[in-house]
Amino acid sequence: MPDMLEPGMPTLAERPVLERRRSRNPLKNLMQHLSVEPPPENDDDRQPRRGSLIRSLSWRKSRSPSAHSDRSGCMPQDPDLCPACTVWAADIDNIFDEMDSNFMKNLNPTAADAFDNKEHSLGHLKELEENRWSTKCPLCKLFHSVHIPSEGDGDLYLSGFSSRDTNYLIDTQTMYDQEHTAKSKAKGYSPAFLAVVPKKSGDGALSWDVNADWFRNAGMLYRTAPEHQNELLSAVSGASGRSGGGSHSRGPSLSNNHDWVKRGVWGREIGQTIDMSVGQDWLRFCEFYHQGRCGRKPVTQELPGFRLLDCSKTPPKLVDASIKERYVALSYVWGRQPATDSALPKVISDAIIATKDMGVRYLWVDRQCMDHLQPADRLRQIARMDEIFEGAIFAIIAACGRDANSGLPGVGQTSRPAQPKYEFVNSDVTLVSSLQDPRLAIQNSAWYTRGWTYQEGLLARRRLIFTEQQMYWECEGMCCPESLVLPLDLYHDSEEQRMCDFMRPGLFNGVSFVGGSWERWKRLPSKAEESSTLSIFREADQHVINYTRRDLSYDEDSLNAFLGISRRLETSIGRGKVFNVLGIPVWAPSVDERMSPPRTRDLFALSTCFWHHQDGVVARRRPHMPSWTWVGWKGAVDLFSSITIVDVDGNRPERKNNLHHYVTATQFTRNDSTSLRWTYSPDFVLLDRDGKIAYDFGATDLRLGRAPKAPALAIKPYAILVPNPFVLDRVKAKTHPGGWIFNNLSVDVRLSRGNSTTGGGGIREYIERHAKGEWMSLLWFVEEGLIMLLVVERSVRDGRISWERVGRMRMSFADESKEVLKKFGRLEKMVEELPLRRLGGDIIIE
């Protein structure tokens, strides 16, 4: 691909071509082909003032040898390179020396020149995209493999960046604020990497200020370390010489001047077959440094019927085992495609190989290790899935392929794509692609869409994840892609037993707000304070929201695949406070004489009426579970309520009122005096299938003067018996742009069947179905100005009438909540003002 690396030179059509005599001096020859053109006159302000690296090379009188090179004066050439890449490659050591020198500075993201010195443009890659199929030049192919696509008019540029200052793994502002050693101006902290970035204008063009997140998908070109260095530095090997077995200092020790290579991020050359010693190193590092964070909790109870595959046998043998055994767990996608004729699907065969290569004897696989169980025993193991995955040394996650026959890329006979790379013949430099951020590959995998795998990924303490391109490690204390060598000793906070705060956590080991993107690291268990009520409900809500966006092959698994998460919440941050009834949280903390009753039934009412299906989702019933819980439906669920409030008299401006379930529930548990006086929910109870009361939410205990007991319910369907409820009546309905109005009340309706408020045109259906007796809306929860109703649909089963929850309604007065309370004075008076009547009989919601 001739004239590929010409930074800004005019095209052939713009000026005549003069044959330029090639110099025998490679550096002078490079200067002839890579001169930097000044910005065009019509250039806009988006263009960074790129450092003229090539121009500065011409001023250099002499240079010391690069860390990569043993320059001997002989300059061999790669005959496969195109002419432009040949002259560029001739001085690769000097180019990287210059970039490393320029990026060796104190980190300061807020400095006035931070943008100016962020990028060093090396060359204009003319026609790289156009010639990608015809070129035979290995460097041109390498550059194209990592180019960042962009719309608009313009070209691609080869540029250099700092692996510290422009890295999607690192929050540079946090590194700067915490004054970490790595922000210093010293050799090795910020080695340069190469990337191919767009400099285009027009519709769809990316900003010329390069964003580090761009490289997550395209990848970057890193050098392998000048000399092979183990990324664990001497952390593990030095462990045996330290007293205390697990004691270690907080800060890194880099006093040796020869250790500069260990300070920065480098590339790792990986083959099409995985070198499992990399995974072994990650495991050893974690087991030594993360004992308090990733260590196993004591096992207090054996698991009857627990079995493991003994991978040391040929063929592997299924054996009875203790859950205390040292084993690996496999998380994978079975898929609908039938297995091959071989004894084991490919993913399990490869997992056995990987388990042995990691130095572990036993492997747990659901189908092999649970198929022998009777239904009751199987359900008991499913209910303790948290212990199975937490108990594993690590989980092998197959985030690749569509089914169990896809295998683990790079293991056994399962191949994986070759890593784009290039080894310079005239230097010790080898450029390797960092490949796609494995977290993106995981999120785009079939594994990430499945319901069972949701809890498996979260419950494991350590995860060895296989994507199509590379292997990835994520324990509770660190994240490591196979394609990069990270300075773990430098970037590791030994006191917190995890990576430093400036290292962004992964998909499973972080904590975020609802809807958050990048997260913060979880607290060290030994340092964690008692969990706040807000954090308990927030985590519970996040799991429901995320899980209901996953797919299940069998509707009957809707609760089973979530039981491990529920039990984790009950035994960790929610211990002694939150319990779970078929996916709905039950607030039942222990109380003493100084505390008010926990109002367990009221909060259960709030939780059963707050959830609704996401706008645009076509929900479907899962009849094996009750309709009042989200596990009885297929479809993405939201736990957020928004209502547009209008004043029918026009005296007040339109406003929106937004609520999150976890915030509302938290405020409710505070039991302030106003809330206690202005709360209503029906006196409902849970019924067994035989009609007996299974749980009355502590009502009997309170009547007898006892503290309410926590629910201890078997995992099976329950109905809700509602005595003589308030139901919607006497409605004058109309619409407004933001919703509906019933009498003088603003209304927001979200339905799993039929048209919600947001769907438009559904008000007629809603009123008509109520008039026909097909639907009813029950007053379900009131707290001060928050009014929630449950929408139920009539059904006939086995000759008897029952009702199913098909949606929820939220009502609001035009006045602010405080004004409503002042206006009515009593809860009963406010309820009388609502368009309701007593039904005159009991109903059962199934």
Side-chain angles (χ1 to χ4, degrees), residues 29 89 95 163 331 355 372 514 564 568 572 631 635 715 784 818 836 841:
N29 193 30
I95 290 174
S163 59
S331 177
T355 299
H372 69 287
V514 173
R568 162 76 72 85
S572 57
V631 299
I715 301 171
E784 301 180 21
K818 290 183 179 179
L836 303 170

Side-chain angles (χ1 to χ4, degrees), residues 59 126 197 240 249 277 283 302 345 358 418 447 474 511 517 591 633 662 679 690 841:
W59 299 335
K126 295 177 61 179
V197 296
S240 58
S249 62
S277 66
L283 177 60
E302 279 291 353
M358 287 291 288
W447 179 89
E474 188 172 314
V511 177
S517 52
V591 296
W633 294 83
Y662 72 92
T679 296
D690 58 7

